[in-house]
Amino acid sequence: MPGWDGDQADDGRLGVDAESEVDPGIDAVELTDDDLIREMGSLHRTRLDTLRHGTDAALANHLRRTADLETEYLTRNPGREIDPARLRDGR
């Protein structure tokens, strides 16, 4: 198995042919707020399993989809509520 250097998610070095590529899903900007939250939850639930046992292509797809959904969430919620209980002292 080739080494993972983190750049493979975007540069196409995975050698995945068009027939085996995973459907990228609905564009994040087209999702309703509820669907966006549901999709992010699903990805977060499957993260460890994909990291530990998925193919390089599956992991790259997971990373891309997570980035797309989280970027869209932050775009929609720039002033999101920060829970003070999640802050470390002095930050």
Side-chain angles (χ1 to χ4, degrees):
M1 176 197 266
W4 181 262
D5 65 12
D7 292 332
Q8 293 160 314
D10 292 318
D11 71 3
R13 287 187 288 155
L14 294 174
V16 178
D17 60 67
E19 292 178 2
S20 65
E21 285 190 45
V22 176
D23 180 1
I26 298 171
D27 190 339
V29 299
E30 296 178 18
L31 295 171
T32 66
D33 288 347
D34 288 341
D35 289 339
L36 182 63
I37 294 293
R38 188 192 73 245
E39 289 288 315
M40 285 191 306
S42 176
L43 283 170
H44 284 271
R45 279 190 304 279
T46 61
R47 175 71 183 149
L48 182 58
D49 195 48
T50 304
L51 176 63
R52 293 185 64 212
H53 307 293
T55 63
D56 284 349
L59 182 58
N61 186 61
H62 203 280
L63 290 167
R64 269 192 300 276
R65 185 65 171 164
T66 300
D68 289 347
L69 294 174
E70 289 180 351
T71 298
E72 180 60 22
Y73 178 83
L74 292 171
T75 299
R76 294 183 192 186
N77 300 283
R80 69 191 195 287
E81 182 179 332
I82 306 299
D83 182 352
R86 296 196 48 102
L87 300 176
R88 295 182 179 161
D89 290 339
R91 294 182 192 193

